[in-house]
């Protein structure tokens, strides 16, 4: 069976796994963004805290995902819960780093002006600093998404959702004609999602960036 | 897999974290890893091991797995750098200026290809298994982030500096050797670290194509349903990865040119 025929006969699986893959990545990216931006906002003004948060989230990213999935298997079991927890942990670093970079890149003169206009600390953060840092933050979120799309494929080891199922089923059927098609389909699915997410981020970035800094 | 860390560790300057660390900060990671190893040892000694668990959890088997893992990481990192750095230099020469943004975009999206897919494809499509196949798979995946790192590093060198070099009568080759490469060293060092971290993580997966490493221990634990074996394999993989990243970080700090 040719690859295209394979895709045709398995199209409903392709779509279903793709939706799962996108959903688990989307949820994890959302959680990582909320936690990561909060951590960045909480630490960007203090060198020590900043260094510590970056060191810890960086160390998490160093832990091989295969190992982390297995270590979470004990406390969290199989399927979605360990997958979302691991992906969220992996997603923190780029978001935290870019939040800190973005917030520290805001021109001090602009902040002085805001202070002079009588804006308090919270207003300055919400109305001046975060909007100005937003393009940098969203770039971090985009990097996180691409990284997580790839890692999710490995979550199939712990019965996680997504295209990893195709890849590992292919591995189990090594030597049969369908094996290559399964693995190719899994890889292709992830690539398509990567392109779609990239387009999404480009659009979101355009739409959510303050008019003044576009 | 993991592999996750595509050129993510390069932005120390912008985040305002000083490049040189105090002695106490250098000690944190070894101490944490030492405690983790000790805890793992105590945990395993407290267990009553059955014969299946003993077959995986003995010094000879574990040492062999760790050693294989280190070999896989070292060989694949060396090859990655030998390919990616020259290619990165080539792709930042003036003749590519028009297409460079497209190259970078394609490389960025390529990073999303799951490592496991590359490894498994080598196995199912070409029946290519074992150490050599693992090296090919590891290198194929790690090339992209290191290449991106090198290109970004070379591109961020200030054009005015290059112009000054040309004005002083240097040839293009001399400008590359004397100015561009030294100025790009920090970024390339970060690339070496990235390649190491990616490869040590991906090497945990090559057990699926019969290439050994610590993944063997994890999979032995999974297939025999022995939790102790799974935990030992996974914990040792994590500790080895963090240790290699730590050592690479030390080397990075030592080799960074003083003037920067």
């Amino acid at each position: 069976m040719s690859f295209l025929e394979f895709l045709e006969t398995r199209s409903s699986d392709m779509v279903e796994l793709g939706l799962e893959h996108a959903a688990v990545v989307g949820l994890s990216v959302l959680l990582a963004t909320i936690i990561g931006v909060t951590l960045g906002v909480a630490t960007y003004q203090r060198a020590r805290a900043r260094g510590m948060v970056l060191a810890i989230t960086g160390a998490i990213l160093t832990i091989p995902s295969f190992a982390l999935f297995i270590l979470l298997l004990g406390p969290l079991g199989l399927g979605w819960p360990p997958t979302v927890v691991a992906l969220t942990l992996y997603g923190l670093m780029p978001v935290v780093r870019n939040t800190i970079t973005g917030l520290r890149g805001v021109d001090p003169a602009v902040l002085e002006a805001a202070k002079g206009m009588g804006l308090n600390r919270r207003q300055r953060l919400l109305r001046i600093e975060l909007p100005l840092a937003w393009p940098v933050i969203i770039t971090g979120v985009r990097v996180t998404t691409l990284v997580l799309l790839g890692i999710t494929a490995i979550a199939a080891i712990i019965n996680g959702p997504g295209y990893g199922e195709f890849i590992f089923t292919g591995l189990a059927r090594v030597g049969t004609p369908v094996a290559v098609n399964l693995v190719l389909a899994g890889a292709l699915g992830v690539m398509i999602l990567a392109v779609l997410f990239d387009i999404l981020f480009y659009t979101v970035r355009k739409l959510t960036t303050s008019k003044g800094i576009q | 897999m993991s592999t996750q860390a595509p050129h993510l560790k390069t932005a120390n300057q912008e985040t305002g974290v000083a490049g040189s660390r105090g002695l106490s900060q250098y000690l944190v990671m070894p101490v944490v890893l030492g405690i983790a190893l000790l805890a793992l040892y105590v945990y395993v000694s407290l267990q009553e091991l059955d014969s299946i668990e003993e077959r995986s959890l003995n010094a000879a088997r574990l040492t062999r797995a760790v050693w294989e893992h280190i070999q896989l990481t070292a060989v694949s990192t060396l090859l990655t750098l030998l390919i990616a750095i020259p290619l990165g230099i080539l792709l930042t020469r003036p003749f590519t200026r028009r297409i460079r943004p497209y190259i970078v975009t394609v490389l960025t999206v390529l990073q999303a290809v799951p490592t496991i897919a590359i490894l498994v494809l080598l196995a199912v499509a070409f029946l290519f298994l074992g150490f050599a196949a693992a090296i090919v798979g590891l290198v194929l995946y790690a090339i992209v982030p290191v290449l991106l790192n090198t290109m970004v590093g070379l591109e961020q060198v200030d054009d005015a500096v290059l112009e000054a070099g040309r004005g002083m009568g240097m040839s293009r080759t001399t400008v590359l050797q004397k100015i561009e490469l030294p100025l790009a060293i920090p970024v390339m060092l970060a690339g070496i670290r990235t390649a190491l971290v990616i490869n040590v993580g991906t090497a945990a997966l090559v057990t699926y194509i019969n290439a050994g490493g610590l993944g063997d221990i994890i999979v032995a634990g999974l297939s025999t349903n022995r939790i102790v074996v799974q935990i030992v394999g996974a914990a040792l993989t994590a500790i080895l990865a963090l240790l290699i990243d730590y050592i690479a970080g030390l080397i990075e700090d030592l080799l960074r040119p003083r003037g920067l």
Side-chain angles (χ1 to χ4, degrees):
Chain A
M1 195 194 306
S2 79
F3 183 55
L4 286 178
E5 283 165 19
F6 173 86
L7 284 181
E8 214 178 315
T9 55
R10 303 295 289 268
S11 59
S12 66
D13 280 350
M14 270 307 265
V15 173
E16 195 182 319
L17 291 177
L19 288 175
E20 276 179 23
H21 205 108
V24 77
V25 169
L27 176 62
S28 310
V29 168
L30 191 69
L31 290 172
T33 307
I34 295 169
I35 302 171
V37 171
T38 311
L39 284 174
V41 167
T43 58
Y44 79 105
Q45 287 172 320
R46 284 165 296 162
R48 249 205 144 157
R50 190 160 79 215
M52 212 154 65
V53 167
L54 287 171
I56 293 172
T57 51
I60 295 173
L61 205 53
T62 307
I63 299 174
S65 50
F66 189 21
L68 188 58
F69 282 132
I70 299 296
L71 291 174
L72 290 175
L73 195 60
L76 297 174
L78 293 163
W80 277 69
T83 310
V84 172
V85 171
L87 293 180
T88 305
L89 285 171
Y90 282 129
L92 288 178
M93 198 279 189
V95 178
V96 173
R97 190 200 53 198
N98 281 37
T99 305
I100 292 176
T101 307
L103 289 173
R104 285 174 57 81
V106 174
D107 189 345
V110 175
L111 284 180
E112 250 343 282
K115 240 189 239 176
M117 285 167 64
L119 268 63
N120 64 28
R121 175 81 200 84
R122 211 173 64 94
Q123 289 170 324
R124 287 201 301 273
L125 184 68
L126 292 179
R127 287 167 59 182
I128 312 286
E129 292 179 89
L130 281 176
L132 284 177
W134 185 243
V136 184
I137 297 175
I138 206 161
T139 306
V141 178
R142 171 175 170 245
V143 172
T144 279
T145 309
L146 288 177
V147 172
L148 295 192
L149 280 171
I151 300 178
T152 305
I154 297 161
I157 290 169
I158 52 165
N159 289 356
Y163 284 119
E165 194 185 312
F166 266 179
I167 297 169
F168 280 95
T169 312
L171 181 65
R173 301 202 185 148
V174 57
T176 65
V178 74
V180 180
N181 285 340
L182 279 165
V183 179
L184 277 179
L188 180 72
V190 178
M191 292 291 294
I192 293 173
L193 285 181
V195 173
L196 290 179
F197 268 109
D198 222 42
I199 295 170
L200 178 72
F201 274 109
Y202 183 77
T203 323
V204 169
R205 189 187 158 144
K206 278 264 164 201
L207 291 176
T208 57
T209 300
S210 163
K211 291 268 174 345
I213 51 171
Q214 269 179 8
Chain B
M1 145 122 8
S2 80
T3 21
Q4 25 214 209
H7 69 301
L8 298 181
K9 300 203 165 186
T10 52
N12 281 348
Q13 300 91 321
E14 299 106 83
T15 45
V17 173
S20 56
R21 299 173 274 180
L23 186 64
S24 59
Q25 277 162 294
Y26 277 113
L27 289 176
V28 174
M29 191 49 94
V31 170
V32 169
L33 294 181
I35 293 171
L37 267 180
L38 193 68
L40 188 65
Y41 181 78
V42 171
Y43 165 73
V44 174
S45 355
L46 290 176
Q47 307 281 320
E48 223 26 87
L49 296 184
D50 63 22
S51 64
I52 294 176
E53 286 161 350
E54 271 169 5
R55 214 172 297 146
S56 287
L57 300 182
N58 60 70
R61 177 88 195 273
L62 291 178
T63 323
R64 201 186 71 214
V66 171
W67 178 234
E68 283 170 354
H69 208 104
I70 293 173
Q71 283 179 313
L72 285 162
T73 309
V75 174
S76 57
T77 301
L78 193 68
L79 287 175
T80 305
L81 296 173
L82 283 178
I83 299 171
I85 291 186
L87 197 59
I89 294 174
L90 188 72
L91 288 177
T92 46
R93 295 309 89 202
F95 74 88
T96 64
R97 185 168 299 149
R98 271 159 201 280
I99 53 167
R100 219 175 290 155
Y102 302 104
I103 300 178
V104 171
T105 307
V106 170
L107 289 176
T108 308
V109 174
L110 271 183
Q111 287 187 110
V113 183
T115 28
I116 186 72
I118 300 178
L119 289 172
V120 171
L121 202 58
L122 288 174
V124 298
F126 307 104
L127 296 175
F128 189 22
L129 297 158
F131 185 81
I135 296 295
V136 171
L138 291 174
V139 171
L140 276 180
Y141 184 74
I143 278 180
V144 177
V146 177
L147 184 59
L148 269 176
N149 233 313
T150 311
M151 290 178 68
V152 171
L154 285 169
E155 279 191 329
Q156 76 178 21
V157 174
D158 192 347
D159 278 342
V161 180
L162 303 184
E163 217 34 60
R166 297 281 288 152
M168 283 167 69
M170 292 183 180
S171 68
R172 277 194 198 287
T173 325
T174 322
V175 170
L176 176 66
Q177 284 173 352
K178 292 261 165 80
I179 303 177
E180 280 187 271
L181 288 179
L183 284 175
I185 282 177
V187 179
M188 289 197 219
L189 286 174
I192 297 177
R193 190 171 173 188
T194 308
L196 276 170
V197 170
I198 291 176
N199 286 329
V200 75
T202 316
L205 291 169
V206 302
T207 175
Y208 285 109
I209 57 168
N210 299 340
L214 279 165
D216 273 4
I217 310 287
I218 304 179
V219 171
L222 284 173
S223 55
T224 57
N225 206 9
R226 292 296 186 282
I227 292 165
V228 195
V229 181
Q230 296 168 19
I231 290 180
V232 170
L236 283 180
T237 309
I239 292 170
L240 182 65
L242 288 166
L243 184 69
I244 286 181
D245 180 51
Y246 172 76
I247 295 171
L250 283 186
I251 296 172
E252 207 180 334
D253 285 353
L254 282 175
L255 294 183
R256 189 177 295 132
R258 297 271 169 248
L260 297 173

